[in-house]
Amino acid sequence: MLLVGPEDNFNIRLAKDIGARLVTVERRVFPDGEVCPRVSGDVRGQDVVLSMRMEAGSGSPNRYLMEVLFTLRNLKEHMGAGSVTLAMPYFPYARQDTIFRPGEPLSSKYLGELLEAAGADVVISVTVHLHRIGGFSELFSRAKAVNLSGFEALASKLKDLPLKDPFILGPDTESIHWAKELASYCGVEEFDAFRKERDVSTGEIRTYVKELDLAGRDVIVVDDMVSTGGTMANAVREARRMGARTVISAFVHPVLAPGAVDRILGAGADVILAADTLEWAGSKASVVPSIAEALRVAQE
Ligand code: R5P
């Protein structure tokens, strides 16, 4: 098996964990924004894992996706790879898993179809935002879909902290699942979630709180992703107001639109803990062991 992807710490570690050679992808971008990802090695006849991550805060999911689609197609069509497993730790467009307003696209499904058409035989991702559909596999018709948990990586870091009377808090109704999942990985008994409404036209967020007994406690506010930081910041602020001793903002995907980190810290978070599902220098938890394990299982 070969690992194909940019030569960064994530892929160097993944290659080592799965015992594969890393064939690098150079991510060339022309001045006009067009991409030309170049696979610099021979993959003919080999089963390949393509591992590419989106940059945090870049505002460029589309550039990233063109790189992935072109590389998949190139590996299969011209470079003669055997099977191609795509390791895409953050699955963009997953939140558009329904048509919220007439005329909008069903983006998550269309993306699944595009990846499949470009040559992905297996797609491995992490904590895919699946609130309105039954499972990750519904986005594909042929490719095998694997959805790993990113909360295990967060929990392994949280367990190292001397937490006092910890409480896990989700910022919105949907996040109760994430809170429960993290609580079970950390062995924390108490968790709950607020409720949030987002205006689908303006994006404006309103958080509806319930009074919780957080005084003097270490509160972990958890979500699957942070984009603008508005959802997280509202919950962090409320946890502070309710008297939390320490507030840790924990999330799997640091999508991080400009200003998001300042918004969360400004709301009163003491620590930001995110996984490395996107390229972000601030990531402290790694999903590499989970992906490596999934690849080992897929090979058996
Ligand atoms: C929404 O359902 C997600 O789980 C996140 O809560 C949301 O995407 C965060 O967005 P933002 O950081 O822009 O508030």
Side-chain angles (χ1 to χ4, degrees):
M1 189 198 281
L2 288 178
L3 183 68
V4 175
E7 191 174 19
D8 54 20
N9 287 339
F10 185 96
N11 281 338
I12 290 170
R13 188 173 165 198
L14 183 57
K16 193 160 167 257
D17 277 16
I18 60 172
R21 186 162 62 83
L22 176 61
V23 173
T24 59
V25 173
E26 294 161 21
R27 300 174 94 164
R28 191 164 176 208
V29 182
F30 291 109
D32 60 1
E34 289 186 357
V35 296
C36 185
R38 177 174 171 264
V39 179
S40 58
D42 185 14
V43 300
R44 193 154 296 278
Q46 301 271 355
D47 290 332
V48 158
V49 177
L50 172 63
S51 168
M52 291 181 91
R53 290 178 304 152
M54 193 173 118
E55 280 171 63
S58 65
S60 304
N62 303 329
R63 187 179 83 194
Y64 164 72
L65 288 175
M66 290 311 286
E67 288 180 321
V68 171
L69 290 166
F70 287 169
T71 310
L72 279 172
R73 180 85 175 158
N74 187 19
L75 285 168
K76 267 289 179 69
E77 192 78 13
H78 296 287
M79 301 197 72
S83 68
V84 180
T85 296
L86 173 64
M88 177 178 259
Y90 170 66
F91 197 87
Y93 289 103
R95 283 170 291 179
Q96 186 75 17
D97 59 355
T98 191
I99 295 169
F100 294 96
R101 295 184 301 166
E104 288 180 349
L106 191 51
S107 311
S108 59
K109 177 82 175 129
Y110 301 164
L111 177 55
E113 289 167 1
L114 285 168
L115 294 171
E116 216 165 46
D121 299 296
V122 180
V123 180
I124 298 178
S125 194
V126 178
T127 304
V128 183
H129 189 94
L130 301 170
H131 288 321
R132 286 160 286 263
I133 60 172
F136 189 32
S137 57
E138 285 186 25
L139 303 184
F140 307 92
S141 37
R142 178 187 50 79
K144 185 176 171 208
V146 181
N147 183 17
L148 305 171
S149 172
F151 294 103
E152 196 175 354
L154 299 183
S156 73
K157 291 291 168 188
L158 288 168
K159 279 185 194 157
D160 291 342
L161 301 176
L163 296 175
K164 182 182 171 238
D165 206 3
F167 188 98
I168 298 184
L169 175 64
D172 56 21
T173 317
E174 294 162 336
S175 63
I176 191 71
H177 304 291
W178 313 133
K180 189 175 177 191
E181 199 175 332
L182 184 63
S184 107
Y185 279 121
C186 292
V188 169
E189 281 170 18
E190 284 187 76
F191 61 90
D192 208 331
F194 292 150
R195 188 166 71 81
K196 174 190 82 180
E197 276 176 14
R198 189 193 288 270
D199 186 307
V200 289
S201 311
T202 64
E204 197 187 323
I205 296 164
R206 181 144 185 220
T207 301
Y208 298 87
V209 300
K210 53 173 102 165
E211 290 303 316
L212 298 164
D213 178 19
L214 303 182
R217 305 180 72 170
D218 289 345
V219 177
I220 301 137
V221 184
V222 68
D223 209 347
D224 58 339
M225 69 177 73
V226 164
S227 178
T228 65
T231 305
M232 178 61 73
N234 281 0
V236 166
R237 196 174 298 110
E238 289 301 328
R240 275 273 170 238
R241 185 183 61 74
M242 292 176 199
R245 184 182 83 129
T246 306
V247 180
I248 299 170
S249 164
F251 44 95
V252 176
H253 306 298
V255 177
L256 299 178
V261 169
D262 288 345
R263 205 162 285 131
I264 295 167
L265 293 175
D270 300 289
V271 177
I272 291 183
L273 172 63
D276 54 357
T277 55
L278 289 98
E279 293 179 3
W280 182 49
S283 294
K284 296 189 185 102
S286 183
V287 295
V288 166
S290 305
I291 294 177
E293 178 59 20
L295 289 168
R296 275 193 290 270
V297 169
Q299 267 187 310
E300 285 167 8

